[in-house]
Amino acid sequence: MSSRINIARPNTNTYNPDPHGLSNSTRPSTGYRAANPDDPLEKIRAFSTAVEDNIEIYSQPLKPHLPAIGRFLIVVTFLEDSLRIMTQWGDQIWYLQQHRKFPWGLSHIFLILNVLTMLGGSSAIILKRFSEYAVAGLLAVVIIQGFGYGLIFDLNFFLRNLSVIGGLLMVFSDSMVTRKKLFAGLPSISETDRKKYFLLAGRVLLIFLFIGFIIQGEWNIARFFVSIVGFAACVMVAVGFKARWSATFLVLVLSVFNVFVNNWWSVHSAHPQRDFLKYDFFQTLSIVGGLILLVNMGPGGLSVDEKKKTY
């Protein structure tokens, strides 16, 4: 008795290019669609990405020097102020005694302490030594001078010095080191969290100089256009959206504005306006220095840019 076993053989004439189902055509759809290059939002996103890439490429030669440049520019207003006090000592004493009613000895102590603190704090920040104490000393100078010279209620002075404080906070964030001693049993904030908060405060305060520029002065078409674009860049810096790009833009705008508007070197040395222009010029340089540190460090953890990396 014989039997025949039928064995099913594969059809060798059929070719399957993707026997394991690895190609996209055989996979179930995940619900994501490719970006439409004609979409206006996609065009804006592609343009901003290209700008950021170009900034990254062309800033590479300067990048190692950005922290030093930023630190020097931030304290340059304090260096200029201390030099001005020393070269105009008699005028400073006369103003404090006659207009601010300082007693004879107190006016001298006030100026000496200001000069020593500004020179010592500025040198420490440039050399990256004891930066926390240096920043605290320069913050004290900003506040004390506001009350001492009676400028604390002047809107322009107030907004500009808020921006200078923002620059000092950027220095503090750049120099933060872990404290070796913490009080046992007390809740503490990690170094990363502290840096996030100081970077946020520094970013927000830096933009007040530009806000002061917007609300003061005569209006024209060019000023209106620069104000709108600059205000948008300030908002982007404050919330940390495309922060490096917007900070770079503000550095360029403020630098051009500073040279053409606060051109103190073109005013006669005997003209009273020269000192005011010189003061505004160096304060603007300090705020530019803070923005340069922002370009170097980035906006920090409390920003839209950082959240986008998470989500």
Side-chain angles (χ1 to χ4, degrees):
M1 183 176 178
S2 63
S3 63
R4 180 179 294 178
I5 301 175
N6 294 321
I7 300 176
R9 298 181 179 179
N11 187 358
T12 57
N13 295 327
T14 304
Y15 171 72
N16 185 358
D18 185 32
H20 301 290
L22 298 178
S23 68
N24 291 332
S25 61
T26 59
R27 292 184 191 178
S29 174
T30 59
Y32 294 99
R33 293 181 300 175
N36 181 9
D38 295 326
D39 186 359
L41 291 178
E42 289 298 328
K43 290 182 179 179
I44 294 174
R45 188 177 293 112
F47 174 75
S48 64
T49 302
V51 170
E52 287 180 335
D53 291 342
N54 286 326
I55 291 174
E56 187 70 22
I57 292 170
Y58 291 109
S59 66
Q60 283 301 318
L62 280 175
K63 199 156 189 178
H65 309 289
L66 286 182
I69 294 172
R71 283 170 170 269
F72 175 75
L73 289 179
I74 285 172
V75 300
V76 73
T77 185
F78 297 101
L79 294 173
E80 187 276 331
D81 197 22
S82 59
L83 179 63
R84 180 169 49 86
I85 290 175
M86 290 187 291
T87 55
Q88 300 176 2
W89 185 263
D91 294 337
Q92 295 285 328
I93 293 291
W94 179 85
Y95 176 82
L96 290 175
Q97 292 179 358
Q98 298 298 319
H99 291 273
R100 301 301 301 162
K101 306 303 179 184
F102 274 52
W104 180 85
L106 184 60
S107 61
H108 291 72
I109 293 173
F110 176 81
L111 292 179
I112 291 172
L113 287 178
N114 272 272
V115 169
L116 291 178
T117 305
M118 287 189 290
L119 288 177
S122 300
S123 301
I125 285 176
I126 292 172
L127 298 174
K128 300 184 72 172
R129 300 292 299 260
F130 308 107
S131 294
E132 293 184 2
Y133 300 105
V135 168
L138 294 180
L139 284 175
V141 165
V142 171
I143 296 170
I144 291 171
Q145 283 193 354
F147 285 101
Y149 288 100
L151 298 172
I152 194 67
F153 298 111
D154 181 86
L155 182 60
N156 186 38
F157 173 87
F158 183 72
L159 292 176
R160 282 180 171 274
N161 279 278
L162 281 180
S163 291
V164 172
I165 291 172
L168 290 174
L169 291 181
M170 297 300 292
V171 170
F172 186 76
S173 302
D174 186 48
S175 306
M176 287 187 76
V177 293
T178 306
R179 297 177 187 269
K180 296 182 179 179
K181 295 182 180 179
L182 293 172
F183 294 101
L186 293 178
S188 60
I189 303 175
S190 69
E191 190 70 21
T192 303
D193 289 338
R194 281 201 298 270
K195 189 168 183 176
K196 282 194 241 180
Y197 294 125
F198 279 110
L199 273 173
L200 174 62
R203 288 197 331 256
V204 173
L205 291 176
L206 276 174
I207 68 174
F208 278 95
L209 170 70
F210 205 88
I211 293 176
F213 165 75
I214 292 174
I215 64 178
Q216 294 182 355
E218 297 181 1
W219 284 93
N220 52 47
I221 296 177
R223 183 185 179 87
F224 176 78
F225 176 76
V226 172
S227 297
I228 293 296
V229 178
F231 181 74
C234 287
V235 172
M236 292 168 68
V237 166
V239 301
F241 175 66
K242 301 293 183 183
R244 281 192 167 98
W245 184 91
S246 50
T248 303
F249 173 79
L250 287 177
V251 166
L252 297 175
V253 170
L254 288 177
S255 299
V256 173
F257 165 83
N258 208 23
V259 170
F260 286 98
V261 177
N262 296 325
N263 51 346
W264 56 270
W265 53 87
S266 64
V267 180
H268 193 274
S269 58
H271 198 287
Q273 188 67 18
R274 180 185 173 94
D275 276 345
F276 291 102
L277 289 175
K278 197 173 184 180
Y279 174 78
D280 289 347
F281 177 84
F282 284 101
Q283 274 212 323
T284 304
L285 281 184
S286 294
I287 295 146
V288 168
L291 290 169
I292 288 174
L293 283 185
L294 176 59
V295 173
N296 181 67
M297 290 189 295
L302 298 176
S303 63
V304 175
D305 288 346
E306 193 66 25
K307 297 302 179 185
K308 282 167 60 181
K309 294 178 184 178
T310 306
Y311 300 104

